[in-house]
Each structure stands twice: as structure tokens, then as C-alpha cells.
Amino acid sequence: MELRTRICQGTGIPESALPYAAELLRVRDGEAEWEGAAERTLKPFALSLLVSAEHYAAVSSWVDANDLKGRLVYRKVGDSYTSRPPAAGTLGAKIAIKQGTSFRDFLLDELSTRFDYVCCDTMEDFRRYPKALTVNGQLKGPRGRHEKDDRRGLMDRRSFVLGWDNHDKIVRIRAERDDVDGEHRTAGTQLAKVDTSLGDVGRLRQLLGNVGSVAEFSEIGWQQTARRVQDLKDEKVELQSASSVLQQLTAKELEVSGRIDRLQERSDKVRERIGANGNASRDIAAAIEECRLTLKEQPLTDDGGVLAAVARLTTSALGDEALTYRNTGAAESSVRSGLTSAIDALTKRIATAAATTVRLMADFRNKYPNETTDIDATLDAAGEFNNLLEQLERDDLPRFEARFKDSLTQNTIHEVVAFNAFLDNRRQNIVSRIGEINQSLAEIEYNPGRHIQLEHQNSSDLDVRQFGIDLRACSEGTIGDDEQYSEQKYLQVERLIERFRGREGYTALDERWTAKVTDVRNWFTFSASERWSETGEEFEHFTDSGGKSGGQKEKLAYTILAAALAFQFGLAAGQGAPRAGLAKERSFRFVVIDEAFGRGSDESARYGMELFQRMKLQLLIVTPLQKINVIEPFVAHVGFVANTNGNDSQLRNMTITEYREERERHAG
């Protein structure tokens, strides 16, 4: 007997009042591809018995007093549950609830809170969301828990439990039973045929065994044996009649033939050696004659250095091998190849040195055009470059370097270095403050599973970029006691200061330029990046709010507003967020928001309040009464303004606790 039937018989409760969750749930039409994953994920909950508060006492008492002979999970269902539907794209949104059931609110609450797994079509989305499900049944839960159970096939409908009508399941099971019966009958017929074939094969095997035992035909053919006996008798007679002298002569003939073959082989080898020696003798004679002719044309030198060099080259070519008439040619070829390679390398070095010299001459002419007007950048002009060098050495200009350096460092350049350091410090402050703001924004959910981060990039404004280049050029190499200065650097500083003062005829233009380039805020362009909280990957990048809906624009505006306020107050993250209107630290961070949430959605208003709370701002919010339910969790005091007659405004100030008590009294 089924367990629920026993409980109903024991308690007198009708079975319709104690449904299983599976009997009230099914996968929505159009979501068939998610049916297997939904069945696998919901099955533990679907097999739970739902017990209302009315029947809870009777059921719990009967279950405790009886041996169930199995396992039972039942859920006590109360009276008050939020009827919020599951979020779109989640597993709960793909499940339909049976119409008319009294457990509808409870099931909606379970689907929207417990089974809010995001159904992901790609593994990239699966890795991003903290709770996710793939169509193949892989489940990702809180605290990084992952599960995939493939012990049964994902689409094995025999294990499916969801649905308040099991007619289709019964039809499928009956069809499968009919198929199995048909296969069983077919297998029986085939088995009978196989048994008959095996009997025939057994009989044939016995006959083949008898034939296989005969290895040769001679075992059963007597004629061949008789002929063999007669042949052996005839051969015996012939051998007995032959002379033994013939056998001896045949053996002697074989021995003599073998000796002749061995002697002939030795003779051939001797002839080959004689021919080789003759050829070598002729080669030696020709080589001696060639050497004599060479010595007549070019007598042997008695220069010891040349002979020593030849000896070294020969040794490097032959190594430990001695020089003979045989390897003279190879040694000559090796030495010639080595000398050719050395000559080529030296030629390349000379060409490279010449090209480098000409390039340096050209660089010198480009750097000092006035002093080298009449000098060409060629090797033929080397004498003129030497004359110029001698002139520079006679003038000895470096002895004036120290005086110029002292004048430069004691005045302008030190001021420019200090000014550059001041502006860079302001820039670093902005970067640091943006980082502190991002720490708070990372803890606030902008969209499900995502948060906002502020980003800064260097400005692409030409004036700002060129000013940075010019300022760095003025201050490069000015730190330390051994800095090197030049007249060119002094001229760079002079041009920069002239623009600060205002050039003649360009005073107004230079004033605007100075205000623009010295305001460090103009050195940056700011944007917002929406990122996945789980992986840190960027989802969307905002440089403005173009193309966004009204709610998206509101959320983005609240984010930028909170970031600007945090930057203005110099707020940092990581110390906890106090309630709006109360400051954890004794600091005044007061912000008034008038009609901020009048036309916005509740979701964007709630997001803005959470954002301001995280930034630890003290808020005074002026909003219509219909938005009080949104801001209520974030405020400590309520100032209720009423004007019943149109000319008699009244303000009542109360704590949030007093407001809630009075609201409950009015509701009662």
C-alpha cells in the first residue's frame, strides 16, 4: 500500500488534501529542452508531501507513531508567503503551478527563492552567475558547490515525476512494455532456430572429426606403399652392382677442383695489388714533376715569417695528420677557403665601419647645421671633421658648463620640477580616490550578479597631452647632484612660462589654455564599467546613457551621483555602512534629495538608497508618500507633512519605529 494512502487511512484526511509537490508542478509548454534538467533539479523537492497547518498535528503524530517501512519527506505549509513570481530566465520561471491549489503561494515562494537558478545557454554565463543551471543538468549553487548526476539519462522519462496528469507517462510505459514483449517473442523464435542449427552443426562436426584423423592418403591407400617398397628393392640392387673405384675417383675430383678455385682467387688478388701499385707509382711521378715545374717558376722563399705562417695554416687545416704528397691538395684547398672567409669578413667590417662613420657624420651635421655648412658627410671629409675637433678642443667650452648649470638650477628649473610634482600629486589623489570609491561599488549589486566600477583614462585632448609632454621634457634628468643641463632645456622652460604669463596678442587665449591644462581633472576622461561579480569580466561599458531605458538611466545616474559625492567628501570603503540619517563616525556628510524618487521605479530607488547607504551619507529625502515603502528600510526618522485645508501645512516628526507602530494601528 502506498505510504500516503496509509497516512490518509490512519488520520482520516482525504488524499487530495495531502498532495505531493510533483502533482502540482510541471514544466511549461515551450520549455521541453529544459525538461530533463528541471526534473533532475526539482525531484528531491517534488517528492515531498505537502501538509497544511490544519493537518500538521495529525500527520506528524501518525508518522511518529508508525513504522513507515520506508522514507518520507513532508513540508509544513503555513498561511503567509510572498506571491512574488520567479525572475525571468530562472528555473522557477519555467515551471507552471496547477490552477486552484491552495499551496500556490508556498510553491511560488519556493520557486523564486530556492530554485532561482539562472538557466544558462553558454558556459560563459554559467561561470558568471552565483546560482546557475545548464541544459545538460550541471548545477551551480551557493559557496561554489557544483553537481551533475548522470547515473540516469537526462531525458529518461521513466524517472520523471512532475505533472498533475500522468496519462502520457502511462501510455509511454505501456508502449515500452509492448515493445519489450515483441522483442521477447522475436528472441524466442530466433533461439529455437539457433538450437536446430546447433544440432546440425554437431553432427557435421562429428563426421569432420573422423575425416580429420587421417593425416595422409597413404594411411588408407595401399597402392603407393607397394610402389615405394618395389623402388627401394631396385635401388638396393643397383648399389650392390656398382664399383667402389668410381666412388673414390669422384671424391678425388671434388677435392682437386676446390684447390684450383682457391689458388685462382689468390692469383686475382695479387694481380689487383700489382695494378694498384703501378697506378700509385705513376701518380707520384707526375706529382714530383709538377712540383719541380712550380719551383722553377716560383722559387721557394727563405722568409721565416712566411714559412711559419704556412706551417700554422697547414697545422690548422690538417690537425695531427702529417703533410704528405697525398693530402697536399686537400690542405691547400682548406687553407685557401679559410683565407677567403677571413678576407670577406674583414671586408664586411671595413664596409660597416665606413657606413657607421658616414652615419655619425650625418647625425653631427643635422645636430649642428651652422657649424657644418661646408662639410660633407663622406669619408673624404674626414680631414675637415678632424680640423673642427681640434678647434673645439682649443675653445674648451665645457669649462663654462658649471656656471651655466648653477644659474639654471638655482632659478627656473627647480620651480618647474616643484610645479610638476604638485600637479602629479593632485593626479595621484584623483586616482586613489577613484580606487576607494570602487571598493564600495564592488559590494553593491547593480544588476543580478554584476556591479559597477568607475574607470579613468588619460584625456585625448591635444592641449592637455602636449602640455604633459612639454612639462616632462622640462623636468627630465633634474633629480640628483650630477644632473646634466643644456641651453635647449632652458629654452623649453622659457617657452612654457611665456604661455603662463600670456603672450602678446594671445593673452585671453593663453589664460583659457592655462586654466584648462593646470586643472588636473581635465587630464582624465571618466567612464563606468558593468562587471560580473563572480569572474570580474566586463559586461558593458558606459561612456554616457545613450540608448538606455528610463530605469537604466536612473540607476546609472544614482551611481555617478554617489561617486561624485563620495569623491567630494573623500569617503573610503571598508568600515561598514550606517543607516541614512545616522553617521557611524562623527562627521558631517549631509545631502538633501528633493523629489528624487517621484517618477522613478521602485527598483532604481531602492538601488539608489543602498548606494547612498554604502557611501555613508547622511540624507534628507523629500519624496511623495507612495515611495515611503521603498525608503523605509533605510531611514531613522520620518517627517510627515500634511496640508488638509490647502493653507495649513503641518509637520510631524517621528522615529521610524513610531511611524511603523502608528501605521499598524491605522491598518488595524
Side-chain angles (χ1 to χ4, degrees):
M1 185 182 298
E2 199 259 334
L3 184 56
R4 178 175 59 179
T5 303
R6 293 172 55 198
I7 295 175
C8 291
Q9 290 178 354
T11 59
I13 301 172
E15 289 193 13
S16 60
L18 297 178
Y20 287 102
E23 296 173 338
L24 305 178
L25 302 174
R26 68 173 178 86
V27 178
R28 292 184 181 275
D29 296 336
E31 301 290 351
E33 63 174 340
W34 289 94
E35 187 174 9
E39 286 277 356
R40 181 178 291 179
T41 305
L42 288 167
K43 189 170 184 178
F45 170 70
L47 296 179
S48 301
L49 196 67
L50 304 184
V51 180
S52 64
E54 177 186 358
H55 302 305
Y56 173 68
V59 172
S60 59
S61 298
W62 189 93
V63 169
D64 189 66
N66 290 270
D67 183 0
L68 302 181
K69 307 297 184 180
R71 181 173 182 267
L72 171 67
V73 176
Y74 66 94
R75 297 288 300 273
K76 177 186 176 183
V77 180
D79 298 327
S80 177
Y81 294 96
T82 59
S83 58
R84 177 167 57 92
T90 62
L91 176 61
K94 299 182 184 297
I95 304 301
I97 301 175
K98 185 177 181 180
Q99 294 293 332
T101 176
S102 59
F103 299 100
R104 180 177 182 80
D105 289 346
F106 166 74
L107 294 173
L108 278 175
D109 185 69
E110 287 289 309
L111 292 176
S112 61
T113 58
R114 181 178 173 185
F115 297 101
D116 56 344
Y117 298 98
V118 179
C119 295
C120 301
D121 295 324
T122 64
M123 288 307 297
E124 287 76 9
D125 291 340
F126 179 77
R127 286 188 283 268
R128 287 169 179 161
Y129 288 101
K131 294 181 69 176
L133 176 66
T134 68
V135 73
N136 294 322
Q138 184 176 182
L139 190 69
K140 176 182 179 183
R143 297 182 175 271
R145 182 179 182 271
H146 292 66
E147 179 181 357
K148 189 169 187 283
D149 185 358
D150 288 332
R151 289 175 293 181
R152 282 184 176 270
L154 186 66
M155 297 303 295
D156 185 359
R157 296 184 176 275
R158 292 174 298 179
S159 62
F160 284 8
V161 297
L162 297 181
W164 46 83
D165 182 3
N166 60 357
H167 176 72
D168 292 341
K169 186 172 183 180
I170 293 173
V171 171
R172 285 195 299 270
I173 292 176
R174 287 177 177 174
E176 290 178 2
R177 183 192 63 186
D178 294 341
D179 292 341
V180 171
D181 290 342
E183 293 175 358
H184 183 267
R185 288 192 296 271
T186 302
T189 303
Q190 293 177 349
L191 182 61
K193 292 180 180 179
V194 171
D195 289 339
T196 303
S197 299
L198 286 176
D200 296 339
V201 170
R203 288 188 293 273
L204 291 174
R205 181 178 180 184
Q206 183 177 3
L207 295 175
L208 290 174
N210 295 335
V211 175
S213 63
V214 180
E216 297 181 0
F217 181 74
S218 59
E219 296 180 6
I220 58 175
W222 60 271
Q223 294 89 347
Q224 184 177 0
T225 304
R227 285 195 300 271
R228 180 61 178 166
V229 170
Q230 186 60 44
D231 291 342
L232 291 174
K233 289 180 179 180
D234 295 342
E235 184 178 358
K236 180 180 180 182
V237 173
E238 291 177 1
L239 291 174
Q240 289 175 348
S241 62
S243 174
S244 61
V245 176
L246 179 60
Q247 295 178 358
Q248 294 176 0
L249 290 175
T250 301
K252 190 67 174 178
E253 180 185 7
L254 293 175
E255 181 181 355
V256 172
S257 297
R259 290 178 63 190
I260 291 172
D261 291 340
R262 288 192 295 273
L263 291 174
Q264 184 63 41
E265 184 179 356
R266 291 177 61 188
S267 175
D268 293 341
K269 290 182 178 180
V270 170
R271 287 194 183 96
E272 290 177 1
R273 291 178 61 187
I274 292 173
N277 290 337
N279 292 334
S281 176
R282 286 191 294 273
D283 292 341
I284 292 172
I288 292 173
E289 184 62 28
E290 185 179 357
C291 289
R292 287 174 178 171
L293 293 175
T294 302
L295 291 175
K296 284 182 179 181
E297 296 174 359
Q298 298 178 358
L300 185 64
T301 182
D302 56 357
D303 189 336
V306 174
L307 294 176
V310 171
R312 287 194 301 272
L313 293 173
T314 303
T315 301
S316 64
L318 298 177
D320 297 334
E321 184 180 355
L323 180 65
T324 65
Y325 76 93
R326 293 179 183 274
N327 59 14
T328 301
E332 178 186 3
S333 176
S334 177
V335 170
R336 187 184 302 277
S337 176
L339 291 176
T340 301
S341 299
I343 292 171
D344 291 343
L346 290 174
T347 302
K348 290 180 181 179
R349 289 178 59 187
I350 292 171
T352 302
T356 302
T357 302
V358 172
R359 178 176 56 78
L360 293 175
M361 289 178 174
D363 292 343
F364 185 81
R365 291 184 75 253
N366 293 332
K367 190 173 182 180
Y368 304 101
N370 296 330
E371 290 78 4
T372 58
T373 304
D374 300 328
I375 303 177
D376 296 329
T378 62
L379 294 178
D380 295 336
E384 298 179 39
F385 277 96
N386 288 331
N387 294 335
L388 181 59
L389 176 62
E390 293 176 359
Q391 179 182 348
L392 292 174
E393 291 176 345
R394 287 194 303 271
D395 293 343
D396 193 19
L397 291 178
R399 72 176 184 271
F400 301 106
E401 182 179 2
R403 184 185 307 171
F404 176 77
K405 176 180 174 181
D406 292 340
S407 299
L408 196 62
T409 57
Q410 291 175 6
N411 298 294
T412 309
I413 291 183
H414 280 178
E415 296 297 331
V416 172
V417 172
F419 181 59
N420 187 19
F422 169 75
L423 293 180
D424 187 68
N425 184 57
R426 296 290 300 275
R427 185 187 69 84
Q428 291 293 339
N429 286 341
I430 293 177
V431 173
S432 177
R433 297 272 280 277
I434 293 296
E436 294 173 355
I437 294 170
N438 280 336
Q439 292 181 23
S440 292
L441 291 176
E443 300 175 8
I444 301 174
E445 189 174 58
Y446 182 74
N447 280 316
R450 300 191 294 270
H451 65 274
I452 285 288
Q453 291 283 277
L454 299 182
E455 294 186 351
H456 59 85
Q457 296 85 27
N458 291 331
S459 174
S460 58
D461 186 274
L462 294 179
D463 289 338
V464 173
R465 295 181 64 181
Q466 188 60 45
F467 171 72
I469 295 172
D470 294 341
L471 192 60
R472 286 192 298 273
C474 293
S475 58
E476 285 178 350
T478 59
I479 304 301
D481 297 332
D482 299 327
E483 60 268 61
Q484 300 295 323
Y485 301 101
S486 65
E487 183 179 359
Q488 182 181 4
K489 189 176 296 298
Y490 178 79
L491 295 175
Q492 292 173 346
V493 175
E494 183 181 24
R495 287 193 296 269
L496 198 60
I497 293 178
E498 284 180 355
R499 292 208 68 178
F500 287 157
R501 292 175 177 173
R503 296 166 296 175
E504 184 177 356
Y506 299 94
T507 303
L509 180 64
D510 286 345
E511 286 180 358
R512 291 194 298 270
W513 176 85
T514 301
K516 175 182 179 181
V517 300
T518 57
D519 187 345
V520 180
R521 293 173 296 182
N522 295 327
W523 292 16
F524 298 97
T525 57
F526 299 95
S527 59
S529 174
E530 185 177 357
R531 296 180 176 274
W532 291 98
S533 301
E534 188 80 5
T535 63
E537 298 177 6
E538 184 174 73
F539 175 77
E540 190 171 1
H541 194 85
F542 305 100
T543 55
D544 54 40
S545 60
K548 303 299 176 186
S549 65
Q552 291 174 325
K553 289 182 179 179
E554 290 174 8
K555 292 180 68 174
L556 188 59
Y558 289 143
T559 302
I560 302 305
L561 174 61
L565 292 172
F567 183 85
Q568 183 68 27
F569 286 122
L571 305 183
Q575 300 176 352
R579 298 172 65 87
L582 296 176
K584 184 175 181 178
E585 302 173 352
R586 296 183 63 83
S587 59
F588 191 64
R589 303 167 179 168
F590 189 64
V591 178
V592 179
I593 304 179
D594 186 12
E595 297 291 341
F597 308 131
R599 298 180 181 178
S601 64
D602 290 352
E603 180 184 359
S604 59
R606 187 178 297 107
Y607 171 78
M609 292 301 300
E610 291 176 352
L611 193 60
F612 295 141
Q613 182 187 63
R614 184 71 61 180
M615 295 301 178
K616 297 184 280 189
L617 301 175
Q618 300 158 342
L619 302 181
L620 174 60
I621 303 171
V622 181
T623 184
L625 187 60
Q626 64 265 26
K627 291 294 182 179
I628 190 67
N629 63 313
V630 178
I631 68 172
E632 178 185 345
F634 302 94
V635 299
H637 288 77
V638 175
F640 184 76
V641 179
N643 187 357
T644 55
N645 299 324
N647 59 357
D648 183 19
S649 296
Q650 298 179 359
L651 171 64
R652 181 179 179 184
N653 186 24
M654 65 186 79
T655 66
I656 191 64
T657 302
E658 294 171 344
Y659 166 78
R660 289 169 178 164
E661 292 174 352
E662 183 155 338
R663 180 184 62 186
E664 292 175 359
R665 286 198 301 271
H666 282 285

